[in-house]
Amino acid sequence: MVNIKDVAKACNVSIATASRALRHTGYVNKEKRKAIIEKANELGYIVDNNAQTLKKGKSMTIGIIVSDIENFFYNMVLQNLITEFAKYGYRVIISYSFEDAEIEKDCIKFLLSSKVDALIFTPISNTNQDLINLIRKRNIPLLQLFRQAYPEVDAICVDDGYGAYIATKHFLSKNLNKVMLLSVKLPFTPSRSKGYKLAMSEHHIAVDENLIQRFPLGKTIEPKLIELIERYKPEAIIAGTNTFGLDAIEAMRKLNVQIPLIVFDNLDWLKLLEISTIAQPIKEIHEQTVDNIISKLNTKHYISPESGLNVRIRPELIIRKSA
Amino acid sequence: MVNIKDVAKACNVSIATASRALRHTGYVNKEKRKAIIEKANELGYIVDNNAQTLKKGKSMTIGIIVSDIENFFYNMVLQNLITEFAKYGYRVIISYSFEDAEIEKDCIKFLLSSKVDALIFTPISNTNQDLINLIRKRNIPLLQLFRQAYPEVDAICVDDGYGAYIATKHFLSKNLNKVMLLSVKLPFTPSRSKGYKLAMSEHHIAVDENLIQRFPLGKTIEPKLIELIERYKPEAIIAGTNTFGLDAIEAMRKLNVQIPLIVFDNLDWLKLLEISTIAQPIKEIHEQTVDNIISKLNTKHYISPESGLNVRIRPELIIRKSA
DNA sequence: TTGTACGCGTTATCAA
DNA sequence: TTGATAACGCGTACAA
């Protein structure tokens, strides 16, 4: 383990001089600086993050807790966040909560313990209020992404309600009035059914609650779907998630029917199958996220406000063959 | 920032006692311990990782550098690794190299600087030999995943050559001899074309090099594919990646032909489309990876060997309607 | 322009 | 069973 002391000794200078040379800070003789840097490389010296963070009280890292590692869309946003924050000199530390509030608690603790300078997370529940309070007390910039579980904390979400609204409007404009909505049992997200109902009311159509179905994530709904399609004979279907979309396609195939379909979240295979989709506004999401965090970080004495923002970014309807 | 000193003061004990109580180590009066832990929770005390790691010279973390955040299969393996290592008390720190050797260098440096206890990575190139040497000199357990760019370092890979072999065999057994292989221009991975050629030679069929096509990752090959299919009229196609598979399907659709197809990497949409596939052995990969790393970590004075293992795990052929 | 010396928060040793 | 104290590696105020 070669440390700065070793480098200093090898160069016959003091630790302070070596540090100044390597950190490019303060005065140090040009030739000496060059020699020190060279020697450091030669010895394979790498600064110790832990010591540096401990000393400076700043880690130049941003913690991000992602709730679902399988979510392609989350990964896209994450990729952009990593790249963008790097431009500001910040590294991203990623933790995955796997949609589990206990794991989320661990992740938050770990990131706080690591002294991240800011924290972005997709909340699972509102059961970690104590930690949220702690973060706010410490004035660490904090942001909820995709969901808002804590009203006092800023949130940037996709307006899925609006997504459902434009999808429903699309079908209604084609005189397909019996639209079935496969919604998600996910708390803290903008409600798809609200947008659905708004569109219906704008067209003066009574809402048939049987056509609004809610399912939890994580398991196939295909058998249930077959039953529902047979019973209620919808004229169009809006699938609230990708997997619901897959299940809907499979169900229709088995029933040998073709019902117009719009699926949330634009993935590759949807394009291939020429299925209409509600596309996530990836670019807007990561841009607003970076803005939000960086501006908080740049505010010298940032103090978390009493009540949080709730930014809702609108997705886009992409019409293909299926609808 | 409440630290252990604050907790100690609040409890009228010394820092040492507070530390023992909170770390559950050494002797401390039962009631005092309870009081200290309670007070720590009340104050929102969280141990400082940086100080702890600095002091102990051990971070209880394992660094993993993933080359491609979009790769569903990598993410699955990653998820399992996180969960499994947690059982041994290790946290995973994830860095993404985005298939860029320079970023990879940064990631390695960052993880070393963070004092990870072990490092797993998917190498992009063999241009970071200096850092690899450094890691080996420090005797930090090291493992290459999915690719082997440094022969002296242990590697666990999927035997894509075998995948191509069984896929080719399958077609040959059905008397489809003109098999086109869409291979990947990826260095350091087991060669798909080798397996293809082996199968061909076992059936005493001369290899037509025109049928073996190699493409880089990241951009569509559909136009090229249309041309190739028209020119060489293959009787069967093996797509070396998912995206090549998508492109092949699209090309066939445009040409209005149906050619038997097998696609590498079993994703959801392949099942839906009833496309045959070479399925990645996710479970074996993560199990062997965990074994490899944990056993190195448990070897008191682990010394990296002269030459690395090269474990090749065989994928599985899943036959569906498409072939 | 350089070096000395201290402290960041923690753990471990050792003496009490 | 407890507490004083010395490190861990680094950055910097201050003195030289």
Side-chain angles (χ1 to χ4, degrees):
Chain A
M1 257 310 307
V2 32
N3 55 24
I4 201 168
K5 208 162 139 190
D6 301 321
V7 177
K9 204 178 292 172
C11 296
N12 284 315
V13 294
S14 70
I15 296 178
T17 305
S19 177
R20 279 193 296 265
L22 293 167
R23 267 352 98 212
H24 300 94
T25 165
Y27 295 105
V28 46
N29 181 290
K30 261 190 189 162
E31 286 168 29
K32 251 183 201 167
R33 159 164 298 159
K34 205 178 141 222
I36 292 170
I37 291 175
E38 245 166 40
K39 201 66 172 176
N41 281 330
E42 187 191 318
L43 296 177
Y45 167 75
I46 293 177
V47 66
D48 185 322
N49 259 342
N50 301 292
Q52 201 172 49
T53 299
L54 179 60
K55 180 66 199 166
K56 304 221 269 193
K58 206 169 179 316
S59 63
M60 293 306 284
T61 61
I62 293 170
I64 301 186
I65 304 175
V66 183
S67 63
D68 181 6
I69 195 172
E70 294 187 39
N71 190 313
F72 177 82
F73 169 58
Y74 286 1
N75 280 325
M76 288 299 88
V77 172
L78 181 57
Q79 168 161 11
N80 285 308
L81 289 178
I82 294 171
T83 311
E84 291 304 312
F85 281 131
K87 294 180 185 164
Y88 293 90
Y90 285 93
R91 253 187 181 281
V92 166
I93 301 185
I94 305 150
S95 282
Y96 287 99
S97 62
F98 302 120
E99 302 288 1
D100 180 312
E102 273 309 304
I103 300 182
E104 179 180 82
K105 187 191 284 289
D106 274 357
C107 291
I108 298 176
K109 279 188 184 166
F110 171 73
L111 294 172
L112 289 179
S113 177
S114 300
K115 294 283 175 292
V116 290
D117 298 323
L119 181 56
I120 300 170
F121 74 125
T122 301
I124 323 286
S125 69
N126 54 12
T127 57
N128 286 320
Q129 186 74 55
D130 48 345
L131 286 172
I132 300 300
N133 292 342
L134 188 60
I135 294 169
R136 286 163 57 79
K137 207 161 67 188
R138 293 194 191 171
N139 275 314
I140 297 171
L142 179 62
L143 178 66
Q144 299 172 92
L145 205 52
F146 306 124
R147 303 176 195 153
Q148 183 168 42
Y150 305 92
E152 73 276 22
V153 177
D154 281 4
I156 293 179
C157 304
V158 177
D159 194 344
D160 291 322
Y162 178 78
Y165 172 79
I166 51 179
T168 310
K169 284 284 249 190
H170 172 79
F171 285 134
L172 295 179
S173 74
K174 298 177 88 177
N175 279 320
L176 301 169
N177 292 350
K178 285 180 68 177
V179 181
M180 173 168 279
L181 174 68
L182 309 177
S183 193
V184 199
K185 267 192 190 137
L186 252 188
F188 314 119
T189 41
S191 152
R192 287 158 167 80
S193 58
K194 253 189 201 158
Y196 173 93
K197 288 179 180 170
L198 177 60
M200 286 292 180
S201 82
E202 282 183 15
H203 282 246
H204 309 293
I205 296 173
V207 170
D208 177 358
E209 289 287 345
N210 290 317
L211 289 176
I212 303 180
Q213 296 285 337
R214 287 180 189 80
F215 305 95
L217 288 175
K219 47 189 156 193
T220 179
I221 61 168
E222 191 200 306
K224 182 81 181 151
L225 223 46
I226 292 180
E227 195 189 315
L228 287 169
I229 293 175
E230 285 196 302
R231 185 172 333 152
Y232 298 114
K233 311 240 177 287
E235 297 167 349
I237 297 178
I238 300 171
T241 75
N242 242 266
T243 44
F244 292 173
L246 266 177
D247 287 340
I249 294 166
E250 195 61 17
M252 289 195 273
R253 185 165 292 178
K254 288 197 177 153
L255 290 170
N256 205 23
V257 293
Q258 281 271 25
I259 306 171
L261 175 70
I262 295 177
V263 178
F264 269 67
D265 298 6
N266 185 26
L267 296 197
D268 279 359
W269 64 268
L270 286 172
K271 193 173 174 191
L272 174 78
L273 297 179
E274 305 187 61
I275 292 171
S276 301
T277 191
I278 302 292
Q280 303 272 16
I282 296 184
K283 189 154 172 285
E284 287 80 357
I285 289 269
H286 86 248
E287 283 175 355
Q288 296 225 25
T289 301
V290 171
D291 281 359
N292 184 286
I293 293 292
I294 293 294
S295 77
K296 285 176 184 169
L297 285 168
N298 287 342
T299 307
K300 280 296 164 228
H301 298 287
Y302 168 73
I303 293 172
S304 49
E306 287 300 306
S307 87
L309 289 178
N310 186 345
V311 179
R312 295 195 175 200
I313 302 179
R314 291 185 163 184
E316 186 192 351
L317 176 61
I318 299 177
I319 292 300
R320 302 200 183 104
K321 222 167 149 186
S322 82
Chain B
M1 255 310 308
V2 31
N3 55 24
I4 201 168
K5 209 162 139 189
D6 300 321
V7 177
K9 204 177 294 174
C11 296
N12 283 316
V13 294
S14 71
I15 296 179
T17 305
S19 178
R20 279 193 297 266
L22 293 167
R23 264 359 96 209
H24 299 95
T25 165
Y27 294 105
V28 46
N29 180 291
K30 260 189 190 162
E31 285 167 31
K32 250 184 201 167
R33 158 163 300 158
K34 203 176 145 226
I36 292 170
I37 292 175
E38 244 165 41
K39 201 66 173 176
N41 282 329
E42 187 192 319
L43 296 176
Y45 167 76
I46 293 178
V47 65
D48 186 322
N49 261 342
N50 301 292
Q52 202 172 48
T53 299
L54 178 61
K55 177 65 198 165
K56 304 223 264 194
K58 206 168 180 313
S59 62
M60 293 306 284
T61 62
I62 293 171
I64 300 186
I65 304 175
V66 183
S67 63
D68 181 7
I69 195 173
E70 294 187 38
N71 189 313
F72 177 81
F73 169 58
Y74 286 1
N75 280 324
M76 287 299 87
V77 173
L78 181 57
Q79 168 161 13
N80 285 307
L81 289 178
I82 294 171
T83 312
E84 290 304 313
F85 281 131
K87 294 180 186 164
Y88 293 90
Y90 284 93
R91 255 190 179 279
V92 166
I93 302 186
I94 304 151
S95 281
Y96 287 99
S97 61
F98 302 121
E99 302 287 2
D100 180 312
E102 272 309 304
I103 300 181
E104 179 181 81
K105 188 191 283 289
D106 274 356
C107 291
I108 298 177
K109 279 188 185 166
F110 171 73
L111 293 172
L112 288 179
S113 177
S114 300
K115 296 281 175 292
V116 291
D117 298 323
L119 182 55
I120 300 170
F121 75 125
T122 301
I124 324 285
S125 69
N126 53 12
T127 56
N128 286 321
Q129 187 73 56
D130 48 344
L131 286 172
I132 300 299
N133 292 342
L134 188 61
I135 294 169
R136 287 164 56 78
K137 207 162 70 190
R138 293 195 191 171
N139 275 314
I140 297 171
L142 179 62
L143 178 66
Q144 299 172 93
L145 205 52
F146 306 124
R147 302 176 196 154
Q148 182 168 42
Y150 305 92
E152 73 275 22
V153 177
D154 282 3
I156 293 179
C157 304
V158 177
D159 194 344
D160 290 323
Y162 178 78
Y165 172 80
I166 51 177
T168 310
K169 285 284 249 189
H170 172 78
F171 285 135
L172 295 179
S173 75
K174 298 177 89 179
N175 280 320
L176 301 169
N177 292 350
K178 285 181 67 177
V179 181
M180 174 167 278
L181 175 67
L182 309 177
S183 193
V184 199
K185 266 193 190 137
L186 251 187
F188 314 119
T189 40
S191 151
R192 287 159 168 78
S193 58
K194 255 189 200 157
Y196 173 93
K197 288 179 180 170
L198 177 60
M200 285 292 178
S201 81
E202 283 183 13
H203 281 246
H204 309 292
I205 297 173
V207 171
D208 177 356
E209 289 288 345
N210 289 316
L211 289 177
I212 303 181
Q213 297 285 337
R214 286 180 189 79
F215 305 94
L217 288 175
K219 48 189 155 194
T220 179
I221 61 168
E222 190 199 308
K224 183 81 181 149
L225 223 45
I226 292 180
E227 196 189 315
L228 287 169
I229 293 175
E230 286 196 302
R231 185 173 332 154
Y232 298 113
K233 310 237 178 290
E235 297 167 349
I237 297 178
I238 300 171
T241 74
N242 242 266
T243 44
F244 293 173
L246 266 178
D247 288 339
I249 294 166
E250 196 61 16
M252 290 196 275
R253 186 166 291 179
K254 287 195 179 156
L255 290 170
N256 205 21
V257 293
Q258 281 271 23
I259 305 171
L261 175 69
I262 295 177
V263 178
F264 270 67
D265 297 6
N266 185 26
L267 297 198
D268 278 359
W269 64 268
L270 286 172
K271 192 172 174 191
L272 173 78
L273 297 179
E274 303 188 62
I275 292 172
S276 302
T277 190
I278 302 291
Q280 303 273 17
I282 296 183
K283 191 155 171 282
E284 287 81 357
I285 289 269
H286 85 248
E287 282 175 354
Q288 296 225 24
T289 301
V290 171
D291 281 359
N292 185 287
I293 292 293
I294 293 294
S295 76
K296 284 176 184 168
L297 285 169
N298 287 342
T299 306
K300 279 297 164 226
H301 297 288
Y302 168 73
I303 293 172
S304 49
E306 287 299 306
S307 87
L309 289 178
N310 185 345
V311 178
R312 295 196 174 200
I313 301 179
R314 293 185 162 183
E316 185 192 353
L317 177 62
I318 298 177
I319 292 300
R320 302 200 183 103
K321 221 167 152 186
S322 82

